[in-house]
């Protein structure tokens, strides 16, 4: 088992009117002509990069499409995006607001109206850690001096998630950082007490990392933690996250292969 510690627009229209002129000799027919403005093309949305983020928001998302010159509003579902920048008629960047986990339709409003297209997925911190772990497992890598081939993804397990969440919360509440609980329980004791029976198991913990990507990157740079992430025999994962204590954030990964 290994631990990892860190220290703390507007539009213009022109209408021209002809004049009726009466002449005594010879009489000419009157004429009048209106010139209507060309219609403004509606915006189109072709791609969001990235297409997902986490509940805390703050991610920079690039939207590509057309007709972005005079954007007046951007929303994700019914939530306004207050920070956006029109880079060009074909590129728009936004800073995502905090959102509940789920899938949101993106809408862009211009003088031509509102266009809704594309989906943005929001995950919890723990679900994002799971996704990042499986992304890592999908690629061959070297952990320390050990080379690992790409392996199958792990699936979320509710029991392991409860164990991991409880341990992160305990570390945050009681202000310590260790695989061993204050009462002396090891990760394997905690799994067994929760009714999880395994043929192999392991745990990664970390503290002080603010985002899922930062903590997973740190684990992957540490040989022991990286080996846990890449271990072929592990088929299930529970992730715990809590706020508090000296380090501010506490993360736990409990891996297992059930009997």
């Amino acid at each position: 088992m290994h631990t990892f510690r860190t220290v703390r627009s507007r539009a213009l229209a022109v209408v021209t009117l002809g004049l009726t002129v009466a002449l005594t000799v010879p009489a000419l027919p009157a004429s009048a002509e209106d010139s209507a403005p060309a219609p403004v093309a509606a915006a189109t949305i072709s791609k969001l990069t990235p297409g997902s983020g986490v509940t805390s928001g703050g991610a920079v998302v690039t939207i590509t499409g057309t007709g972005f010159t005079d954007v007046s509003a951007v929303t994700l579902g019914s939530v306004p995006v207050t920070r956006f920048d029109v880079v060009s008629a074909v590129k728009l960047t936004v800073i995502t607001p905090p959102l509940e986990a789920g899938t949101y339709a993106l809408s862009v409003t211009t003088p031509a109206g509102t266009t809704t297209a594309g989906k943005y997925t929001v995950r919890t911190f723990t679900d994002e850690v799971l996704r990042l772990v499986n992304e890592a497992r999908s690629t061959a890598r070297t952990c320390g001096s050990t080379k690992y081939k790409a392996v199958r993804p792990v699936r979320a397990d509710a029991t392991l998630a409860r164990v991991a969440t409880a341990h992160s919360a305990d570390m945050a509440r009681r202000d310590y950082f260790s695989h061993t609980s204050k009462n002396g329980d090891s990760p394997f004791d905690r799994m067994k007490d929760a009714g999880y029976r395994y043929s192999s198991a392991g745990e990664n913990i970390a503290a002080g990392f603010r985002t899922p990507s930062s903590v997973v990157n740190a684990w992957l740079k540490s040989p022991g933690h990286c080996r846990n992430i890449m271990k072929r025999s592990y088929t299930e994962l529970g992730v715990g996250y809590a706020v508090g204590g000296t380090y501010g954030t506490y993360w736990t990964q409990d891996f297992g292969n059930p009997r």
Side-chain angles (χ1 to χ4, degrees):
M1 298 181 292
H2 299 265
T3 63
F4 197 93
R5 182 191 295 260
T6 69
V7 184
R8 223 66 177 150
S9 175
R10 288 182 296 265
L12 298 176
V14 177
V15 177
T16 60
L17 297 178
L19 297 178
T20 300
V21 181
L23 299 180
T24 304
V25 178
L28 297 176
S31 65
E33 182 180 10
D34 288 344
S35 178
V40 179
T44 65
I45 300 168
S46 58
K47 186 178 181 180
L48 280 65
T49 308
S52 66
V54 293
T55 53
S56 59
V60 179
V61 177
T62 299
I63 305 163
T64 54
T66 63
F68 293 156
T69 304
D70 298 316
V71 176
S72 58
V74 180
T75 60
L76 284 165
S78 61
V79 181
V81 175
T82 59
R83 300 169 63 189
F84 63 87
D85 180 37
V86 178
V87 179
S88 69
V90 298
K91 184 176 180 180
L92 173 69
T93 60
V94 304
I95 307 295
T96 60
L99 295 163
E100 296 293 327
T103 301
Y104 296 80
L106 177 80
S107 298
V108 174
T109 301
T110 69
T114 298
T115 299
T116 301
K119 299 290 184 180
Y120 185 73
T121 301
V122 178
R123 300 184 182 90
T124 63
F125 274 22
T126 55
D127 283 346
E128 181 67 359
V129 169
L130 174 64
R131 186 190 72 82
L132 291 169
V133 164
N134 284 329
E135 183 179 83
R137 286 170 67 90
S138 70
T139 305
R141 68 185 61 248
T142 300
C143 302
S145 61
T146 307
K147 293 183 178 181
Y148 287 86
K149 295 180 179 180
V151 292
R152 292 183 177 182
V154 289
R155 59 184 176 270
D157 178 78
T159 301
L160 287 177
R162 287 195 298 272
V163 173
T165 298
H167 187 54
S168 287
D170 192 54
M171 289 191 290
R173 183 177 64 254
R174 302 174 72 176
D175 200 13
Y176 71 99
F177 181 73
S178 175
H179 288 290
T180 304
S181 303
K182 285 288 191 180
N183 64 0
D185 283 350
S186 71
F188 313 107
D189 294 326
R190 294 190 293 270
M191 293 179 196
K192 291 175 182 177
D193 288 346
Y196 187 81
R197 299 295 178 260
Y198 56 85
S199 58
S200 62
E203 180 176 88
N204 286 341
I205 61 174
F209 295 92
R210 297 181 61 188
T211 65
S213 60
S214 65
V215 71
V216 172
N217 285 337
W219 279 327
L220 289 172
K221 291 177 181 177
S222 169
H225 299 86
C226 180
R227 284 192 283 269
N228 267 348
I229 289 173
M230 295 302 295
K231 195 169 182 178
R232 182 180 297 274
S233 66
Y234 294 155
T235 60
E236 297 181 338
L237 173 63
V239 181
Y241 169 76
V243 176
T246 298
Y247 292 102
T249 61
Y250 294 81
W251 306 80
T252 303
Q253 290 182 314
D254 283 329
F255 295 88
N257 184 15
R259 289 194 300 198

